[in-house]
Amino acid sequence: AQSVTQPDIHITVSEGASLELRCNYSYGATPYLFWYVQSPGQGLQLLLKYFSGDTLVQGIKGFEAEFKRSQSSFNLRKPSVHWSDAAEYFCAVGATTSGSRLTFGEGTQLTVNP
Amino acid sequence: DTGVSQDPRHKITKRGQNVTFRCDPISEHNRLYWYRQTLGQGPEFLTYFQNEAQLEKSRLLSDRFSAERPKGSFSTLEIQRTEQGDSAMYLCASGEGNRGGLEGYTFGSGTRLTVV
């Protein structure tokens, strides 16, 4: 069975600082990995996804993520955070062997201080 | 086509009432998924359809929940005899394309259910 762990429930950073959100997954084969962002009361917006190839993936809003198979990780990074990045971030793993449903982590709430 | 549409956006109902939500997927997508998200948690899979066939149901989907997708187009999720524990955001997603539809996976904005 696939699973996702986001070790940090809440992270606070200052505007302009760098950001790294951690994600560890468990899956027996090559995973398909996703990062989503959710503002309060809103749906999920896809930031980026990894299927294969280059392990460093670029996404929207200046985000990137790196797939590290040896560490079963897919951490999300941004070099300089903006106040508008404050939101909840979810990592998810999908697999075609499970009907292509996604398994999500519990999320990391990001607060940005001015 | 502007994406996955869900209706209503918000629903407040009294405990014991029945509610029905609708999801209109992206028109060319043959896979449709329902998820439930409670406060402070990540979304959890409920069920999915390929065309009109319901292929998998989570154990979270009790017998008070039923989902349909007639003609393989829009889908409805009905909750009978609602309970306060049903209060959550109900998200719909659709998918098509390579890798089992994961490449084109798109979520709707969700329906927020509050049971009072």
Side-chain angles (χ1 to χ4, degrees):
Chain A
Q2 59 211 55
S3 67
V4 175
T5 302
Q6 293 182 246
D8 304 305
I9 296 174
H10 192 189
I11 283 184
T12 300
V13 300
S14 298
E15 191 169 16
S18 64
L19 172 70
E20 182 169 26
L21 302 182
R22 296 184 291 165
C23 172
N24 294 98
Y25 69 90
S26 174
Y27 182 62
T30 300
Y32 301 138
L33 296 161
F34 304 78
W35 273 101
Y36 287 89
V37 62
Q38 186 177 41
S39 297
Q42 301 300 308
L44 297 167
Q45 182 181 22
L46 178 67
L47 288 175
L48 46 78
K49 57 191 176 186
Y50 171 78
F51 288 145
S52 65
D54 192 347
T55 56
L56 186 62
V57 181
Q58 301 298 319
I60 62 171
K61 303 185 178 187
F63 285 93
E64 66 178 25
E66 186 171 13
F67 170 59
K68 292 185 177 180
R69 183 187 300 276
S70 62
Q71 298 177 19
S72 297
S73 69
F74 188 57
N75 294 348
L76 182 71
R77 301 193 295 247
K78 185 169 185 178
S80 177
V81 170
H82 189 262
W83 64 266
S84 61
D85 293 324
E88 186 138 29
Y89 291 79
F90 293 97
C91 181
V93 61
T96 56
T97 54
S98 59
S100 302
R101 58 182 166 96
L102 297 183
T103 299
F104 287 82
E106 296 197 350
T108 298
Q109 181 68 47
L110 175 65
T111 298
V112 180
N113 287 334
Chain B
D1 194 313
T2 57
V4 178
S5 299
Q6 292 189 247
D7 184 69
R9 290 294 307 276
H10 304 276
K11 178 72 176 178
I12 300 174
T13 191
K14 292 184 179 179
R15 189 174 52 188
Q17 297 294 305
N18 298 343
V19 294
T20 299
F21 311 139
R22 177 179 170 125
C23 172
D24 286 272
I26 293 173
S27 58
E28 62 268 26
H29 285 188
N30 64 3
R31 294 175 181 239
L32 186 147
Y33 303 81
W34 285 99
Y35 291 81
R36 183 175 70 185
Q37 184 181 22
T38 53
L39 204 59
Q41 301 295 314
E44 295 174 292
F45 168 79
L46 291 178
T47 188
Y48 99 94
F49 293 84
Q50 183 156 335
N51 299 311
E52 65 275 10
Q54 187 173 19
L55 296 186
E56 187 178 351
K57 292 193 288 187
S58 162
R59 58 179 174 77
L60 294 176
L61 211 65
S62 76
D63 57 5
R64 295 185 297 105
F65 288 69
S66 62
E68 295 182 342
R69 192 183 182 196
K71 304 178 184 178
S73 56
F74 71 92
S75 175
T76 57
L77 178 68
E78 181 183 16
I79 309 174
Q80 297 181 326
R81 305 181 303 281
T82 53
E83 302 172 356
Q84 287 190 322
D86 298 330
S87 296
M89 173 81 88
Y90 290 85
L91 294 161
C92 176
S94 69
E96 181 58 80
N98 293 330
R99 297 183 170 94
L102 286 170
E103 284 198 7
Y105 223 92
T106 304
F107 279 90
S109 297
T111 293
R112 168 73 66 188
L113 172 66
T114 302
V115 181
V116 297

